[in-house]
Amino acid sequence: MKLYDAPWAPSPRRVRIYLAEKGIEVERKTIDLRNGEQLSDPYLKINPRGAVPALELDSGEVLNESAAICRYFEALHPEPPLFGSTPLEIGRITSWTRRIEGDGYAAAVYVLRNSVPAFADRAEAGKWPALPQIPELATRGSIMWSAFVDALDERLGESDWVAGDTYSFADITALVTIDFASRAKLPLPDDAANIRRWHEAASARPSAEA
Amino acid sequence: MKLYDAPWAPSPRRVRIYLAEKGIEVERKTIDLRNGEQLSDPYLKINPRGAVPALELDSGEVLNESAAICRYFEALHPEPPLFGSTPLEIGRITSWTRRIEGDGYAAAVYVLRNSVPAFADRAEAGKWPALPQIPELATRGSIMWSAFVDALDERLGESDWVAGDTYSFADITALVTIDFASRAKLPLPDDAANIRRWHEAASARPSAEA
């Protein structure tokens, strides 16, 4: 199998951190996002959505979506569990993962895609008809980001890791989101002490370098 | 346990259809979204995010996010599997589910939340600071919806159900999305014959009435 990857984008990084935590090695091919290779004809034959990551299986079938690729590997290699073992852990990890995606990651994407000139007419990730940037949506993203950070900081005052006592896919999702947001000029506020404590611990794991 | 529910919103419907397919009965309490009960102090004590559905466990812990609630029940009651059994089924179902959410459902929400007067200053679901509507985002949603419907119709020309030969959580997600979009005045185009065939089959299942 082969993983189509890119070095600075958040979704491929989510898969790389996951694979590093699991100790899984997969052949990778880098797609050059800066030069638009994800929207080139050869890559669109692999993934018509024009997005990375994508996992090409030996059968030729391609799985896309970072969380789907990780869940595929989780089913192949259940240990150590990163999506939970008990029903309650599974529910908590999925709930937090989706909250981080829907509230935090979405906010950062709103800002980045609607303000950075390189994304003019590509205001949503992947292959779409031309979608103009909307400056008001970047403003909305900033408001959402502040509220999200407050909620995540409160949560991380209650538990060591996002979804409980152990590191999980929710932490991977949060780490990727926070680091991506800082590139979108949405840094953490000084008073987010719980996030800072957690961010240091998550970033110290070897997987964070993947 | 108790499920906080609402009769016309898409996310609670996703959970109800899922539970009906699994044959699981759960006590439900209806939250009156039309009168803003989801943002009332008593409900915010249950779910500070101000959204339905939410599942209150007997311990008092509350799980939110429709997909997280369904995965919790899937772990409690694995049969019949709606998130897949083999790694490949799990990957396909998750991938299609996320594509429908990110491309189709998001598009319909862009349109509805940014154009219907009842959502003025509540342009994102849940409890946020005031978020004004952005008419250009409704326009973007319409463009995305058309592209999404084309892609889904193509997919349903290849297989009976969204993620393969059997009905899955991806079909539940698509059904809820298509029906929600039609309420947002994003109906199916006449030439979407594969979606129409699939929609008739999905709607004929008793769970669609849940």
Side-chain angles (χ1 to χ4, degrees), chain A residues 18 20-24 74 77-85 167 205:
Chain A
Y18 173 85
E21 287 284 341
K22 301 285 282 193
I24 299 169
E74 187 85 355
H77 305 285
E79 297 298 328
L82 287 175
F83 288 94
S85 299
Y167 182 93
R205 297 171 77 95

Side-chain angles (χ1 to χ4, degrees), chain A residues 49 57 61 64 67-68 71-72 87-88 92 95 98-99 101 103 110 114 123-124 128 132 134 140 144, chain B residues 49 57 61 64 67-68 71-72 87-88 92 95 98-99 101 103 110 114 123-124 128 132 134 140 144:
Chain A
R49 297 185 74 189
L57 306 178
E61 181 169 347
N64 52 46
R71 285 192 183 272
Y72 170 75
L88 193 52
R92 285 178 186 147
S95 176
R98 296 185 72 97
R99 177 166 189 177
E101 292 169 346
D103 293 359
Y110 282 172
N114 292 283
E124 298 275 339
W128 292 101
I134 302 171
R140 185 193 289 182
M144 291 170 66
Chain B
R49 297 186 74 190
L57 306 179
E61 181 169 345
N64 51 47
R71 284 193 185 270
Y72 170 76
L88 193 52
R92 284 176 186 149
S95 177
R98 296 185 73 97
R99 177 164 189 178
E101 292 170 345
D103 294 359
Y110 281 173
N114 291 284
E124 299 275 339
W128 292 101
I134 302 171
R140 184 193 291 182
M144 292 170 66

